[in-house]
Amino acid sequence: MTPRSESSGSHPKKTAGEKIPEQPTAAQQKSAAKKTAVPKQAAAKKAVAKKAVAKKTVAKKAVATKAAATKAVAKKADPAKATAAKSTAKKVAATKAAAKKTPAKKTAAKKTTTTKTAAKKTTTTKAAAKKATTAKSAATKTTAANPPAKKAAAKKAPAKKAPARAAGAGKVAARKAAPAQVVPPEMEIAVSPAVDAVDRERLLGGTHHDPHSVLGAHLVPGGIAFRAFRPYALSVTVVAGELRAELHDDGEGFFSGLLPLREVPAYRLLVEYEGTLLDTEDAYRFLPTLGDLDLHLIGEGRHEELWTALGAHPMTHEGVTGTRFSVWAPNARGVRVAGTFNFWDGTGHVMRSLGSSGVWELFLPDIGEGELYKFEITRPDGSRTLRADPLARRTEVPPATSSVITSSAYEWGDAEWLARRAEAPAHEAPFSVYEVHLASWRPGLTYRQLADQLPGYVKNLGFTHVELMPVAEHPFGGSWGYQVTGFYAPTARLGTPDDFRHLVDSLHRAGIGVLMDWVPAHFPRDDWALAEFDGRPLYEHEDPLRAAHPDWGTLEFDFGRREVRNFLVSNALYWCEEFHIDGLRVDAVASMLYLDYSREAGQWTPNEHGGRENLDAVAFLQEMNATLYRRVPGVVTIAEESTAWDGVTRATHHEGPSGFGGLGFGLKWNMGWMHDSLQYMSHEPVHRKYHHHEMTFSMVYAYSENYVLPISHDEVVHGKRSLVSKMPGDWWQQRAGHRAYLGFMWAHPGKQLLFMGQEFAQGAEWSEAHGPDWWLLDPGYGAEPDHRGVRDLVRDLNTVYRATPALWRLDTDPAGFEWIVGDAADDNVLAFLRLDPEGSPILAVSNFAPVIRQDYRLGVPEDVPAWHEAVNTDAARYGGSDITNPDPVKPEAQPWHGRPASIRLTLPPLSTVWLRPA
């Protein structure tokens, strides 16, 4: 560093490391020398003056535009040590003055010819003074260029070079104070610590890609530059141990200062606002919280635990607690974090871009759970948008849209369930599903209140699983959760994410599996969510024709973009791993598979082979299923696919006739069976003989996929009427038809799914506004036995079903089914056998006519000695006419229906009867 010009003045408060006052005789000698100085001395003075001008020029460059030189206010050093050092220095100066009275001319010449020596001494003195100041716990405070008079008396900061010592006294005193240190060459020339104009503009405009390279503490020539960007702050002070340095206010929220330190210390910031003093860590002193592996996997689209890398995560980083924010926004010019912690002004919380990954990151210390936040994105056109976090794991309660910082502390109690759920694949196990709209099952209940009631209810009815809708956060309740904005957040309407975990855990401990509706096909256009997230199409396809979903006014995901595919695959894993979900019912698969889905000619573009198949969607579904089954033992995926796509439930590595590998789902909704069977049941019995094929056609393709038979929410809303109301006839016939249909459904190959309210024959359509009509089960209601009887039937169907392997073990194997009679259209009768792998049968007979059929003969296997009723939907306890076969029915040796033996049964009207070997 360039030494300061000398000064002949002394100061009564100088410490040992500074200018030492001369003895009176020395001062008089110096005064006399000045009077007798020759022209050579004048030349020396001119050289010294020139050096002083140069020194001032350097000093001016070392401060901000409007700032003067930095001055420090030091605490008083230890009085005893200071007095001793001062006394020693005085003795040395006095001795030299007495022993060596150098003429003024000679002294002046000596000063002129030994500039380098003087500079070296000054540097040594400065270094010693600096160390002495540190050792004596001096607190440095940066001040303006013209400090008050009382501050002028204090020790000057090292940025202002100490004067050269007369007659070597300063050097001796400095050695007494502390060992000399040499300032490294790179620190010899000070630089301005202020943020330059370009960076300043980019930070203010929210377009800076690397704020950490500018803000924080940085080693520069002359020391350590501290820079802070704190809008609305009155002052910012750096605190490092006992060092306190107030930074210069550079305007517009920028503060800076240059401290003569050799390395960046551990420091904090004291930020003063109007009426508030904030003691905090500097967010811009931390290294990135994401490593190269995370960024590499994100770039490859292979980060299977994406939720651990992106989003908001409370954590401890470099020994400091806070929250790590990260978001993928590759088209953004800049990203900032705004939230309750900065009064929704993200100006001072600028995120950094992590290379070419498109990921922006910022660790904010002292920020924790419960804070609301969004990302403020500067788009390519310079406009700004405030967006919810795509990977937010908690949200505000709609219609509020902010994301919420959260972490889980939940302790699971379902280890036993998880250990045994993989014992058998879903298609070879009992699998009957109760579909629940959580918000309206019991309106007003929270997740934890549902956990107290739902498991017991479902267990009592004998269902093996529940399917929950909606789970992921969505802005409009009337969408039933099928227009998702928070793909990683359970809806906040019913509680916190840990509350939802508690519900799942409670169901598991009751022995009930949990499925959830999952919606990867599309997302809404809300301007605070995913649509054009960073100013350009990102999650949606860049081709508007490919992006717009024609049916729902939403946007389709761009399944060909690896980061988008990663977002969705990871989301599937997230629900199953973080919330212990046992299966995903994947919504609207057909709309994903076809480029021309609901589109007219000219509104779609064929694939590279000239076909209508969406090859990107096929690849995504295959990857999702393969990844999920690999990582989560016992999980099942279920496709809501309404077409005859080949290989929905075939393994992904098995190529089918179409040339595609299978999609890899575990099960598929049998939409054809649902449509045909409900169509048949809606006809008057007298006309059913003309539609008999609608009940038998399903067996033509029953083993082409692994099927679920769904009577879902979609079938009991929007004018379709409830299940019992679809049945023709009077109230008795409607209930009888309802019961007979359920008996047929539970016996048919495939798994069963029934929407809430249909288990007790609710007459009204379902509405999310009020849910099931539970009052129908009130004992005070006159028709209560009618509804309770249907619910009792559902319980008994499930009980017998679960105890009878013939009804589920070979659901996907033709060896598990045999027709007895499938062509009795005039009688409205269907009869078939279900078999288990050992050949043990159960006989199901349905009479969809409103008449009793006495002694109805049916062919049966000859090796069964007798049959008895296991279920009769016409039993009195279910609300029927109680026409039953109470005694075991023995086969006769009369061939019938192509079999060597036969039995005669009494078939109740509008009923289904199950018989098993006695």
Side-chain angles (χ1 to χ4, degrees):
M1 298 174 72
T2 307
R4 252 181 10 181
S5 58
E6 296 186 71
S7 172
S8 59
S10 62
H11 198 289
K13 293 187 179 180
K14 295 285 185 182
T15 59
E18 299 182 76
K19 175 76 175 173
I20 306 300
E22 303 289 348
Q23 296 293 332
T25 54
Q28 292 170 0
Q29 290 176 355
K30 190 170 185 180
S31 178
K34 284 183 179 180
K35 293 178 181 179
T36 58
V38 294
K40 192 172 184 179
Q41 181 184 16
K45 283 187 176 181
K46 186 176 182 180
V48 172
K50 186 176 182 180
K51 281 176 60 183
V53 172
K55 169 63 185 68
K56 287 185 178 180
T57 302
V58 173
K60 286 181 179 180
K61 292 181 180 179
V63 296
T65 307
K66 296 180 181 180
T70 304
K71 295 185 180 181
V73 179
K75 293 182 179 179
K76 290 184 180 180
D78 187 319
K81 292 183 180 178
T83 302
K86 187 173 183 179
S87 176
T88 303
K90 284 181 178 181
K91 290 179 180 180
V92 172
T95 301
K96 288 191 174 184
K100 190 177 182 181
K101 295 183 178 180
T102 306
K105 179 179 178 181
K106 186 175 181 180
T107 301
K110 182 177 179 181
K111 288 182 179 179
T112 304
T113 58
T114 60
T115 302
K116 291 184 179 180
T117 302
K120 185 175 181 181
K121 288 180 179 180
T122 303
T123 301
T124 304
T125 303
K126 175 182 176 289
K130 169 189 167 186
K131 186 165 184 179
T133 303
T134 302
K136 296 175 183 181
S137 305
T140 305
K141 182 176 181 182
T142 306
T143 61
N146 298 309
K150 64 178 182 179
K151 290 189 178 181
K155 175 185 172 183
K156 295 183 179 180
K160 284 281 190 177
K161 308 299 183 293
R165 304 304 180 216
K171 181 176 179 180
V172 174
R175 285 179 177 173
K176 292 288 185 180
Q181 297 184 19
V182 178
V183 177
E186 66 271 15
M187 295 179 64
E188 289 183 356
I189 301 176
V191 299
S192 170
V195 176
D196 66 36
V198 174
D199 286 322
R200 187 180 178 115
E201 181 180 357
R202 292 172 65 199
L203 287 168
L204 286 169
T207 60
H208 208 294
H209 279 65
D210 192 10
H212 293 71
S213 67
V214 178
L215 304 176
H218 298 274
L219 181 65
V220 298
I224 303 298
F226 289 86
R227 305 184 188 99
F229 182 30
R230 293 281 175 163
Y232 313 112
L234 301 179
S235 67
V236 176
T237 301
V238 173
V239 179
E242 296 183 348
L243 173 70
R244 296 168 64 92
E246 183 177 314
L247 302 183
H248 183 267
D249 185 347
D250 300 328
E252 296 184 291
F254 290 93
F255 298 82
S256 65
L258 180 65
L259 300 184
L261 305 174
R262 290 179 167 276
E263 59 183 20
V264 177
Y267 70 95
R268 294 177 65 84
L269 298 178
L270 285 179
V271 185
E272 183 184 2
Y273 296 96
E274 187 72 39
T276 302
L277 184 64
L278 178 66
D279 183 353
T280 183
E281 296 280 354
D282 184 358
Y284 296 95
R285 78 169 183 84
F286 295 97
L287 295 172
T289 55
L290 293 176
D292 291 339
L293 180 59
D294 282 315
L295 298 178
H296 173 76
L297 292 174
I298 291 171
E300 293 252 316
R302 297 286 182 181
H303 203 305
E304 294 179 357
E305 297 180 1
L306 190 65
W307 68 91
T308 66
L310 300 182
H313 291 267
M315 62 189 306
T316 298
H317 181 49
E318 297 181 16
V320 176
T321 58
T323 296
R324 189 266 319 281
F325 297 90
S326 50
V327 63
W328 179 61
N331 298 311
R333 292 179 60 191
V335 184
R336 302 188 284 203
V337 183
T340 49
F341 43 84
N342 57 19
F343 301 97
W344 293 102
D345 185 344
T347 306
H349 287 149
V350 187
M351 303 179 75
R352 63 178 151 204
S353 174
L354 299 180
S356 61
S357 66
V359 175
W360 301 74
E361 181 266 359
L362 179 65
F363 175 75
L364 288 183
D366 306 321
I367 303 299
E369 290 192 58
E371 297 279 7
L372 308 183
Y373 71 98
K374 283 186 178 181
F375 294 113
E376 182 188 277
I377 296 174
T378 302
R379 294 179 279 212
D381 64 1
S383 63
R384 297 195 187 110
T385 178
L386 200 59
R387 298 291 174 135
D389 184 357
L391 278 94
R393 289 166 296 130
R394 183 180 173 189
T395 68
E396 280 189 289
V397 178
T401 59
S402 296
S403 304
V404 183
I405 300 172
T406 188
S407 63
S408 176
Y410 189 78
E411 296 184 6
W412 290 90
D414 62 350
E416 182 181 349
W417 168 267
L418 296 180
R420 63 182 175 83
R421 75 176 178 183
E423 291 176 353
H427 62 276
E428 295 179 1
F431 196 92
S432 61
V433 183
Y434 182 62
E435 187 184 20
V436 177
H437 180 267
L438 281 174
S440 69
W441 184 74
R442 297 275 191 181
L445 296 189
T446 64
Y447 288 129
R448 290 189 175 269
Q449 291 169 333
L450 284 165
D452 293 334
Q453 299 185 31
L454 183 61
Y457 183 81
V458 176
K459 184 175 183 178
N460 178 264
L461 288 179
F463 286 98
T464 65
H465 290 74
V466 293
E467 180 180 311
L468 306 179
M469 58 165 286
V471 175
E473 191 60 272
H474 53 285
F476 176 50
S479 75
W480 312 329
Y482 291 109
Q483 295 193 14
V484 177
T485 49
F487 281 82
Y488 284 77
T491 179
R493 293 169 173 86
L494 308 181
T496 69
D498 275 357
D499 292 339
F500 179 66
R501 287 182 173 91
H502 176 69
L503 173 60
V504 175
D505 198 7
S506 298
L507 288 161
H508 282 170
R509 285 186 274 116
I512 300 163
V514 181
L515 314 174
M516 65 170 276
D517 278 8
W518 187 55
V519 191
H522 62 123
F523 56 92
R525 296 174 178 268
D526 299 76
D527 60 7
W528 48 267
L530 296 184
E532 293 193 350
F533 182 75
D534 59 3
R536 292 178 181 167
L538 187 65
Y539 289 91
E540 67 271 37
H541 202 284
E542 63 182 358
D543 181 351
L545 292 180
R546 289 280 298 274
H549 198 293
D551 288 348
W552 303 305
T554 53
L555 296 170
E556 296 184 12
F557 280 103
D558 182 0
F559 302 110
R561 186 161 190 167
R562 59 182 180 270
E563 295 94 343
V564 174
R565 205 161 55 238
N566 190 178
F567 173 82
L568 293 171
V569 172
S570 177
N571 187 242
L573 288 167
Y574 172 74
W575 290 109
C576 293
E577 294 188 359
E578 291 291 321
F579 292 91
H580 295 194
I581 296 295
D582 302 294
L584 303 176
R585 177 266 192 184
V586 184
D587 181 64
V589 172
S591 73
M592 301 164 65
L593 291 175
Y594 298 98
L595 294 170
D596 63 345
Y597 184 87
S598 289
R599 292 178 172 90
E600 301 296 331
Q603 295 181 339
W604 63 280
T605 304
N607 63 32
E608 59 194 63
H609 305 295
R612 59 197 285 254
E613 299 84 6
N614 187 336
L615 303 182
D616 293 334
V618 171
F620 156 66
L621 292 171
Q622 290 175 328
E623 180 183 349
M624 181 274 296
N625 281 310
T627 305
L628 196 60
Y629 278 100
R630 169 172 54 83
R631 287 189 52 141
V632 189
V635 75
V636 61
T637 56
I638 308 167
E640 188 219 6
E641 203 284 305
S642 56
T643 73
W645 182 278
D646 174 54
V648 172
T649 59
R650 189 172 62 240
T652 57
H653 58 284
H654 289 170
E655 187 174 302
S658 62
F660 292 105
L663 296 183
F665 284 93
L667 298 168
K668 172 184 173 177
W669 273 22
N670 194 334
M671 309 292 281
W673 173 89
M674 176 273 298
H675 179 271
D676 289 347
S677 63
L678 290 179
Q679 185 73 16
Y680 175 87
M681 295 302 298
S682 68
H683 293 301
E684 291 287 345
V686 70
H687 300 303
R688 284 175 178 168
K689 64 181 180 180
Y690 304 111
H691 301 274
H692 194 74
H693 65 281
E694 293 174 347
M695 293 297 268
T696 61
F697 181 67
S698 60
M699 291 312 303
V700 173
Y701 60 87
Y703 302 105
S704 62
E705 302 281 3
N706 305 336
Y707 283 116
V708 173
L709 311 178
I711 302 299
S712 72
H713 63 279
D714 277 328
E715 312 316 317
V716 296
V717 292
H718 295 165
K720 295 180 181 179
R721 297 174 294 172
S722 68
L723 183 57
V724 72
S725 297
K726 295 177 190 292
M727 308 300 164
D730 58 21
W731 175 235
W732 189 94
Q733 290 179 321
Q734 284 183 313
R735 287 185 294 112
H738 182 102
R739 295 192 306 266
Y741 181 75
L742 293 177
F744 171 77
M745 173 182 174
W746 253 253
H748 192 283
K751 311 307 180 183
Q752 296 76 36
L753 180 142
L754 188 66
F755 185 63
M756 64 183 194
Q758 312 316 302
E759 79 274 16
F760 57 84
Q762 173 176 313
E765 283 188 337
W766 167 70
S767 167
E768 76 279 357
H770 58 73
D773 293 332
W774 295 107
W775 57 269
L776 296 173
L777 297 172
D778 188 335
Y781 174 59
E784 180 267 344
D786 298 343
H787 298 281
R788 188 172 298 279
V790 175
R791 190 173 69 172
D792 290 343
L793 171 65
V794 171
R795 180 190 302 110
D796 290 350
L797 287 174
N798 274 323
T799 300
V800 176
Y801 167 80
R802 296 177 71 166
T804 309
L807 291 171
W808 44 264
R809 184 69 182 278
L810 297 178
D811 263 333
T812 61
D813 189 335
F817 179 90
E818 294 180 8
W819 277 113
I820 297 297
V821 56
D823 58 356
D826 289 340
D827 298 335
N828 293 355
V829 172
L830 296 162
F832 52 84
L833 292 173
R834 296 295 309 278
L835 305 165
D836 68 14
E838 288 71 39
S840 297
I842 189 167
L843 173 61
V845 186
S846 294
N847 175 22
F848 292 114
V851 297
I852 302 171
R853 300 198 182 277
Q854 299 284 356
D855 293 330
Y856 197 85
R857 188 174 292 276
L858 296 169
V860 294
E862 61 180 346
D863 57 348
V864 178
W867 301 81
H868 73 87
E869 283 187 353
V871 173
N872 186 329
T873 65
D874 192 53
R877 65 181 179 275
Y878 306 140
S881 57
D882 207 27
I883 297 174
T884 64
N885 298 274
D887 301 320
V889 180
K890 295 183 180 181
E892 300 173 2
Q894 182 176 351
W896 205 260
H897 293 140
R899 295 179 182 275
S902 60
I903 59 174
R904 290 182 297 164
L905 293 174
T906 298
L907 301 183
L910 298 174
S911 66
T912 294
V913 178
W914 293 357
L915 299 101
R916 59 187 174 191

